[in-house]
Amino acid sequence: MSTTSRWWHQPFRTHQTNLREVDAGLDVEQVLDHIQDIGADTWLLNTAGIVSFYPSRLAFQHPSPWLAERPSGDLIGDAVEAAHARGVRVLSRVDFSKVHADLAEQHPDWCFVSATGERQIYNGLWSTCPSAPYYQERSEEILGEILDTYPVDGFFFNWFNFSQRDYSGRNHGPCHCAHCQRRFDERYGRPLPTRADWDDPAYVQWLEYTRETLGDLAGRVRKLITGKNPDTALILAHDPDITFYEANNAVDRPQPLWIYGTGEFLRTSRTAAPDKPVWVNSVMFIDMPYRFVPEQQGHLGLYLAQTIAHGGNPSAYLVGTPDRLPATSFDIVRDVFCFHRDNARFYTDVRSAAEVGVVSSVRSGERYGGPSGVDKVRGEIRGVYRALVESHVPFDIVLDHLLVMDALDSTLRRYKALVLPNVAVLSDDQAEVLDRYVETGGGLVATYDTGGFDAAGAPRPGIALRSLGAATVIDRREAPGAMRSAYLRVTDPGDLPGATEGDLVLLDRAYLYVEPRPDTVCSFGLVPPSRYGPPEKCYWDVETDHPGLLWHRHGSGRTAYIPWPIGGLYDDLGRPEHRDILVHALDEVGGGRQLSTDAPPHVEIVVSTQDDPHRTLVHLINYSGQRGRAFGPPLPIHDIQVELPGVATVAAANSLRRGMPLETSRTAAGAVTFTLPHLDLFDLVVLDHG
C-alpha cells in the first residue's frame, strides 16, 4: 500500500477519553454518539501499560478490575467493533512510564533510580526507565499482543520520556539505574550527571543521550507496528507516522501565557517534515490537579484555531467519559471540528506559502550561556515570533540542525529572508550555508549573540557569519543591570517608521560592542547607561557612534545585524519601537511584505497553498478575547482589508465561515485585494486561481 493511501494522510479529528480504571464498564455506544456529534472521526482510549482495558494474557499487565462489569470482559474489543461499524477509527493509548509495586519488586532494574539511590514512586506506581528492559523489551510484547488481537488504527504513547519530574513537579534528576550508567559510560566515557546543571557538560550530553535512546526505541516500535500492520499509525514525538503535540495550560504557569505555543510547534514540525501529519491534542481541563474543571472556551478555541490554520489535525482530550464535563464544554470543539470536517478538501495536501523563515536553535539553548542560555534563546525567539505575528508577516520555523540538509535540497531558497533570533551556536558548516544563502540573493536578520559561539558552545574569536556587518565582538555588557537606563539614538529615521532624528529607543539587558566590516552602514547610536535619579541629575554627558543596527551587502543579498536582545525585550516589554525596528529590517533585506492589511495586531494571518486544484488559503485568527489568563469571546472585527502582491489571477474568493463570496480587485501594482466583512474567532478565505 502506498504511503499516501494511509488514513492519516487525510484530515482527521480525534476525541480522547483518557480513562480511569473505574471507567472500564463505560457505554461504548453512548460515547460513540458523543464523538460523532462533535464532528470527530477518531477515538483515542486507554488500552495498556499502567492498566490494561482488555483481558491481557501477559503476566506483567494489570487488567482493570472493572472489566468485570462488561458482559464481554473486554472494553477494547467492544470499542473497536462498535467504532468500526460506524466508520470511526480507534487509537490505542499506551503508557509504559510506570508499573505497579508487584512488578517493581520483581524487576527492580526496570525502574528509575535517582543519583542518591531513591526510587520514583507516585500514588503507589514506580516510574520506569526507557533504558531498561520494560521499555526496551516488554513494551514490544504488549504491542504485539494488542496488534495480534485487535484491528486498532493507531497507537499513542503517553509519557514516552525519561521521568525526571513527577506529577507534582518534583525534579528527581537524571536516572542512575544500572542500564543508564552502563550505556552512558559506553557512549561518553564518563559518569552520569547528578542533577540538571547547564554548566556541566555531562548534563548536556545526558540530554543528547535521552534523545538518542528514545529515538532508537521509537524506531524499533515503529518497525514492529509497521511489520504487523502497515496501516496502523504511530503517534509520537520521536520517529512517528504522526507527530504529536499537547496544547495545555497550568495553574502555576508564569505570566504572560505563551498563547502561540500550538502555532509555534506546527510551524516547526510542518517545515521540518512537510509530508508528516501533525496531531494536536488540546486539553479540555485547566491542569492536571484539576482534571474535572473545564478549560475556558476562548482558550480552547485558540488551540483549535491555530491547529487547523497551520495544517494540523485537531484533537480534544478529557479524563474519564464525556459526562465528566458540562455539555457546554464541547461547544467550541464541535464548532471547529465540524468546520474542519465539512471543509476537509481545503485541509488536504496543504503547505505553507510563507516567504520568511525563522531559525530556531535548540543547540544554542543547551550549549551557550549556562542556565541562562535557555531563557536568552527562548525569549529572543518568542519576541521575534510575536513581532512577526502582530505585524502580519507569514513565516515558518526552521530548526538549525536542518540548515545543512536544507541547503543541499535548496529548501532555503523558498524564503526571501531568514531571521536568526540569538542563534548563538553555529557550526562552520551552518555558517557557510547561511553565508551562501545571502551571497546568492537571500536576506538575513540576526540578533544579539548570533554566530558568536562554535558548535561546542565555545566563544569564537570573531562572528561566524561573514555576511553580517560586524566582524567581531570587541566588548560586551550583559551583567544584571549593566545596560539599565541606556538608549539608542535614532540617526536615520527611515530605520524606525514614524520616528525623527534624535528620538530615543529603550535599551536594556545587554549590548555587544562590535567592529563593523568595511562598507557596513551603521544606524542608531548608543547612549550609554545614564543617571536616572534624582530628576535634577537625569541627563547624560556621553553619546557614542556604537551602532544598534548594521546594514551590510554580501554578494547579491543583504543583512541586518542587531547586536542586542531586541526579541527578548519585545517579549517582556512589548515596546512597539522594538517590533518596528525588527520588522522594518526584515522588510528591507527581504524586498518587501508578502501581504499588507489594516487588521489590528491581535489578528494572526497564515497563508498556505494547494496545488491541485490551485488555491491560496488565508486563515485569520482573532486573539482579542484574551485578557491575561482570562479568555472570553473575541471582539468581532469588521471590514478587514488584505492585499497580496504575489498572488496569481483569482477566479473566485470565498469566506468559508461567513459562507459568502468576496469581491477581489487588483491594485495598480498588481496586488490582489479583498475585504473580509466580519471576523469572530477565525475564518478561512479561499482564493481559487482557476
Side-chain angles (χ1 to χ4, degrees):
M1 177 176 290
S2 67
T3 299
T4 55
S5 66
R6 293 175 184 167
W7 66 263
W8 55 89
H9 288 277
Q10 299 298 316
F12 63 96
R13 296 152 302 283
T14 307
H15 190 31
Q16 179 185 2
T17 55
N18 196 347
L19 302 180
R20 308 162 298 167
E21 59 185 352
V22 297
D23 296 319
L26 66 81
D27 186 327
V28 166
E29 298 294 347
Q30 187 177 65
V31 173
L32 284 167
D33 286 344
H34 168 80
I35 286 171
Q36 292 188 302
D37 172 67
I38 64 172
D41 57 10
T42 306
W43 182 13
L44 170 61
L45 76 164
N46 305 54
T47 301
I50 297 173
V51 174
S52 69
F53 288 81
Y54 67 96
S56 174
R57 298 178 298 277
L58 298 172
F60 44 86
Q61 282 287 275
H62 273 255
S64 167
W66 283 266
L67 285 172
E69 297 179 358
R70 309 194 68 81
S72 68
D74 184 354
L75 172 58
I76 304 307
D78 293 345
V80 171
E81 181 180 4
H84 284 181
R86 295 182 182 222
V88 173
R89 289 177 286 269
V90 175
L91 305 178
S92 287
R93 178 189 183 275
V94 295
D95 188 335
F96 302 124
S97 68
K98 297 166 185 65
V99 293
H100 291 75
D102 60 336
L103 290 175
E105 295 291 359
Q106 293 177 48
H107 305 282
D109 67 313
W110 288 3
C111 299
F112 172 95
V113 182
S114 74
T116 58
E118 296 179 2
R119 304 293 181 168
Q120 188 183 137
I121 303 173
Y122 198 91
N123 284 347
L125 297 173
W126 297 46
S127 289
T128 57
C129 176
S131 298
Y134 184 63
Y135 258 106
Q136 292 285 326
E137 300 167 13
R138 298 295 181 260
S139 67
E140 294 194 19
E141 294 181 46
I142 295 169
L143 295 173
E145 180 181 58
I146 297 168
L147 284 163
D148 290 340
T149 310
Y150 308 105
V152 296
D153 300 285
F155 284 94
F156 165 69
F157 280 63
N158 187 61
W159 211 304
F160 188 79
N161 214 330
F162 284 77
S163 299
Q164 295 190 65
R165 291 184 182 273
D166 61 28
Y167 278 104
S168 294
R170 180 188 172 195
N171 193 332
H172 298 261
C175 180
H176 278 65
C177 74
H179 305 285
C180 280
Q181 291 187 53
R182 173 181 56 81
R183 290 160 64 106
F184 191 81
D185 180 67
E186 291 173 352
R187 176 71 172 82
Y188 298 105
R190 69 193 313 166
L192 287 159
T194 59
R195 59 191 178 89
D197 181 359
W198 292 92
D199 289 326
D200 181 1
Y203 181 67
V204 177
Q205 290 172 331
W206 161 256
L207 296 176
E208 290 181 344
Y209 167 78
T210 63
R211 287 193 291 266
E212 290 175 0
T213 301
L214 295 171
D216 174 73
L217 178 58
R220 289 190 286 110
V221 165
R222 189 165 185 248
K223 183 177 180 181
L224 168 72
I225 293 172
T226 302
K228 285 186 174 290
N229 185 353
D231 294 324
T232 303
L234 174 62
I235 303 173
L236 204 59
H238 305 266
D239 193 31
D241 295 303
I242 304 168
T243 303
F244 160 73
Y245 178 76
E246 181 175 287
N248 58 35
N249 196 359
V251 293
D252 294 324
R253 190 157 293 167
Q255 289 272 41
L257 288 180
W258 180 238
I259 192 60
Y260 300 117
T262 301
E264 180 182 25
F265 183 87
L266 281 156
R267 291 180 198 267
T268 304
S269 297
R270 297 282 289 161
T271 303
D275 296 325
K276 186 161 289 189
V278 181
W279 178 73
V280 177
N281 204 15
S282 298
V283 179
M284 294 189 65
F285 49 85
I286 186 172
D287 195 1
M288 286 190 292
Y290 301 100
R291 294 185 187 267
F292 304 108
V293 175
E295 181 56 274
Q296 298 173 78
Q297 291 284 284
H299 199 173
L300 188 57
L302 288 174
Y303 292 155
L304 297 168
Q306 288 179 63
T307 297
I308 65 174
H310 291 283
N313 296 283
S315 175
Y317 155 38
L318 58 80
V319 168
T321 51
D323 59 326
R324 300 303 306 175
L325 292 179
T328 54
S329 302
F330 298 94
D331 289 350
I332 191 64
V333 175
R334 182 181 293 104
D335 182 23
V336 178
F337 274 27
C338 290
F339 179 85
H340 188 258
R341 177 198 64 196
D342 296 342
N343 296 285
R345 66 190 184 280
F346 302 113
Y347 293 99
T348 304
D349 297 327
V350 173
R351 69 178 188 277
S352 169
E355 296 176 353
V356 170
V358 176
V359 178
S360 175
S361 176
V362 173
R363 180 180 291 182
S364 292
E366 293 180 351
R367 294 179 178 265
Y368 142 82
S372 64
V374 175
D375 293 334
K376 289 195 291 188
V377 172
R378 181 191 295 121
E380 196 70 9
I381 193 169
R382 285 188 172 182
V384 168
Y385 194 108
R386 279 188 56 202
L388 299 188
V389 167
E390 292 173 5
S391 302
H392 311 111
V393 176
F395 65 98
D396 296 332
I397 296 180
V398 182
L399 294 173
D400 62 334
H401 72 271
L402 299 175
L403 285 174
V404 176
M405 183 187 307
D406 283 345
L408 293 175
D409 63 13
S410 300
T411 302
L412 289 183
R413 289 292 141 222
R414 62 174 285 193
Y415 301 117
K416 292 184 177 179
L418 298 176
V419 185
L420 277 65
N422 199 21
V423 183
V425 173
L426 283 174
S427 70
D428 293 343
D429 287 344
Q430 289 172 330
E432 177 59 32
V433 165
L434 292 167
D435 283 336
R436 189 164 61 248
Y437 166 79
V438 177
E439 188 174 14
T440 54
L444 189 148
V445 177
T447 75
Y448 197 14
D449 261 325
T450 292
F453 297 77
D454 65 19
R460 290 179 176 273
I463 295 175
L465 294 171
R466 295 178 290 106
S467 55
L468 294 186
T472 187
V473 175
I474 57 178
D475 195 14
R476 62 174 57 233
R477 297 174 76 166
E478 58 181 356
M483 293 305 292
R484 184 59 46 90
S485 76
Y487 301 92
L488 291 169
R489 186 183 72 259
V490 174
T491 56
D492 184 346
D495 291 336
L496 177 55
T500 59
E501 187 172 350
D503 285 353
L504 298 176
V505 175
L506 178 153
L507 178 60
D508 198 29
R509 303 282 179 80
Y511 176 79
L512 305 182
Y513 294 82
V514 298
E515 179 183 340
R517 297 183 189 275
D519 302 323
T520 292
V521 176
C522 296
S523 186
F524 297 99
L526 173 67
V527 178
S530 58
R531 297 178 293 270
Y532 53 91
E536 293 83 353
K537 292 291 186 179
C538 289
Y539 57 91
W540 53 86
D541 307 303
V542 177
E543 294 185 359
T544 78
D545 292 326
H546 292 295
L549 173 63
L550 297 91
W551 301 104
H552 188 65
R553 292 197 176 276
H554 182 72
S556 301
R558 192 181 183 198
T559 66
Y561 175 49
I562 301 169
W564 46 283
I566 188 171
L569 288 175
Y570 187 63
D571 186 43
D572 283 346
L573 303 179
R575 297 294 305 175
E577 59 268 29
H578 294 154
R579 177 191 66 205
D580 294 346
I581 291 170
L582 179 70
V583 175
H584 170 73
L586 183 60
D587 288 344
E588 289 295 305
V589 302
R593 296 282 180 97
Q594 182 175 357
L595 68 85
S596 59
T597 179
D598 61 358
H602 51 259
V603 173
E604 178 179 6
I605 300 180
V606 182
V607 182
S608 308
T609 61
Q610 283 180 309
D611 287 335
D612 187 17
H614 186 31
R615 298 182 178 119
T616 295
L617 308 172
V618 182
H619 275 91
L620 299 94
I621 305 174
N622 182 355
Y623 290 82
S624 66
Q626 182 191 9
R627 305 181 308 281
R629 296 190 75 101
F631 293 80
L635 298 173
I637 304 172
H638 300 281
D639 298 326
I640 297 174
Q641 297 181 31
V642 178
E643 184 176 306
L644 295 158
V647 171
T649 301
V650 175
N654 289 277
S655 159
L656 298 191
R657 288 290 279 179
R658 307 304 298 171
M660 60 182 293
L662 303 178
E663 291 187 7
T664 64
S665 61
R666 283 204 176 267
T667 67
V672 169
T673 67
F674 65 83
T675 298
L676 182 65
H678 185 99
L679 177 67
D680 288 315
L681 173 61
F682 73 96
D683 203 345
L684 170 55
V685 175
V686 177
L687 304 177
D688 280 298
H689 301 299

